[in-house]
Amino acid sequence: MMRASLRQTALLLALALLPALISAAVQWRALGEAVSPGDEITWEATQALGGRVLWVDARTRAQYDQGHIEGAVLLNEDQWVDLMEGFLDAWEEELQVVVYCDGGGCDASRSVSRRLREEMGLENVRILKGGWKKNSP
Amino acid sequence: MEKKLPIVWLLLRLALGGLFIWAGLVKVADAPAFTREIQHYDILPWPWLAAAAALYLPWVEILCGLGLQWPRLRLGSLLILGGLMVVFLGAITSAWARGLDITCGCFGKDSASILTDFPLLLTQDLALLAAATLLWWVEKRRVASQAAGSGA
């Protein structure tokens, strides 16, 4: 019975390869963007901007209160409307907006940066590579 | 017991299979989003490996969901689904232990909750693993009794 189970397993795993290859061909370009996103910026690159950066902390207020990048304004999806005023007070057109969240793996910075682009019409919005955990002191 | 409750096993198979087919289809529709979800776990060493997993795993889920409904592929499907759940449990536990803020990617792109509910994710996965294990046990007994019947 075990041999039959393993044979079935091998067959199913092999069968899944073909549609996966077709998916790869269809979504090739978008996958490349997902693997190597062009909207990320490293900490080192932000330092080269000479202070012309508006940091946006996309985490919760509790996390922000525990520590954040100096000068960062809090703007997250849960309190989007309430926190927008603080963001607009700090925003200037020539500033590079850099959004960060907890680490390289959180989605909050991506969501906030997307909303800033789509809802506020901002163009110069980037995401901090590695997030707060990688770049905090 | 399986003779008395065939409808229960049938419903459980349909529910588990349907869930994995749906979960797979959602991910197939947006493989780049699933690639990012996998990268969030910070487990795989190279980004292209996350992309390969994002392309391959959903189809494995879909085929196993379908295979679960067909007796000749049922044991293999359950073996794979059980294995997948163990891998997912390990990945979620590891992310929790490292304090990562992730969206699990379990059913494609998740809602934009800021903090991950790790206990809920683990409970979901454990329930699915328990269902797969139960069905595996039922199917094994069915196959064994069939073999005994044909041998008699």
Side-chain angles (χ1 to χ4, degrees):
Chain A
M1 193 188 307
M2 201 58 205
R3 189 178 289 178
S5 304
L6 292 175
R7 209 169 35 235
Q8 293 170 20
T9 301
L11 176 67
L12 285 162
L13 293 176
L15 279 175
L17 277 172
L18 183 64
L21 288 172
I22 295 171
S23 283
V26 171
Q27 304 189 64
W28 188 254
R29 189 169 291 181
L31 279 166
E33 174 62 23
V35 167
S36 179
D39 59 352
E40 286 190 350
I41 186 167
T42 62
W43 174 263
E44 292 73 24
T46 63
Q47 299 309 294
L49 294 171
R52 305 305 296 162
V53 176
L54 172 56
W55 293 103
V56 173
D57 192 318
R59 301 174 301 159
T60 62
R61 180 173 289 284
Q63 289 174 314
Y64 177 85
D65 289 342
Q66 280 174 12
H68 54 262
I69 292 177
E70 193 180 346
V73 293
L74 179 65
L75 181 63
N76 59 47
E77 288 216 289
D78 282 3
Q79 299 169 284
W80 185 259
V81 176
D82 296 339
L83 295 170
M84 183 48 72
E85 192 179 335
F87 170 79
L88 291 174
D89 285 346
W91 181 77
E92 292 172 32
E93 196 170 356
E94 64 273 21
L95 291 179
Q96 170 68 60
V97 177
V98 181
V99 189
Y100 67 91
C101 50
D102 211 29
C106 52
D107 249 358
S109 56
R110 199 158 289 283
S111 305
V112 166
S113 104
R114 188 184 62 243
R115 287 186 72 169
L116 285 173
R117 280 200 211 95
E118 292 175 1
E119 294 176 23
M120 308 298 295
L122 304 186
E123 289 174 0
N124 55 344
V125 183
R126 309 286 290 273
I127 293 166
L128 178 63
K129 195 177 173 70
W132 164 251
K133 281 208 170 121
K134 191 177 175 189
N135 300 291
S136 58
Chain B
M1 179 165 57
E2 59 269 34
K3 279 185 181 171
K4 289 179 190 164
L5 297 170
I7 191 74
V8 175
W9 308 136
L10 173 68
L11 289 176
L12 190 58
R13 272 202 310 272
L14 286 172
L16 191 66
L19 187 74
F20 275 98
I21 291 169
W22 174 62
L25 286 174
V26 171
K27 291 174 207 161
V28 163
D30 196 353
F34 188 41
T35 301
R36 283 192 292 273
E37 304 293 350
I38 294 175
Q39 284 179 296
H40 291 173
Y41 285 85
D42 209 10
I43 289 175
L44 299 176
W46 304 292
W48 59 263
L49 212 52
L55 287 165
Y56 184 57
L57 286 180
W59 286 107
V60 172
E61 290 180 335
I62 292 168
L63 287 178
C64 288
L66 292 170
L68 199 53
Q69 316 310 324
W70 192 29
R72 294 179 72 97
L73 285 176
R74 199 168 288 154
L75 281 173
S77 301
L78 288 166
L79 199 64
I80 295 173
L81 291 180
L84 282 178
M85 296 325 296
V86 170
V87 170
F88 295 160
L89 280 168
I92 292 169
T93 307
S94 153
W96 194 9
R98 285 176 291 151
L100 297 181
D101 177 15
I102 56 160
T103 50
C104 75
C106 316
F107 301 101
K109 189 151 179 61
D110 283 343
S111 59
S113 165
I114 290 184
L115 293 175
T116 311
D117 189 347
F118 284 105
L120 179 67
L121 287 180
L122 290 175
T123 308
Q124 280 175 358
D125 276 13
L126 280 171
L128 293 175
L129 180 60
T133 308
L134 182 63
L135 286 174
W136 160 269
W137 176 76
V138 169
E139 184 62 13
K140 216 174 126 187
R141 284 179 60 117
R142 189 191 66 82
V143 172
S145 75
Q146 222 172 34
S150 65

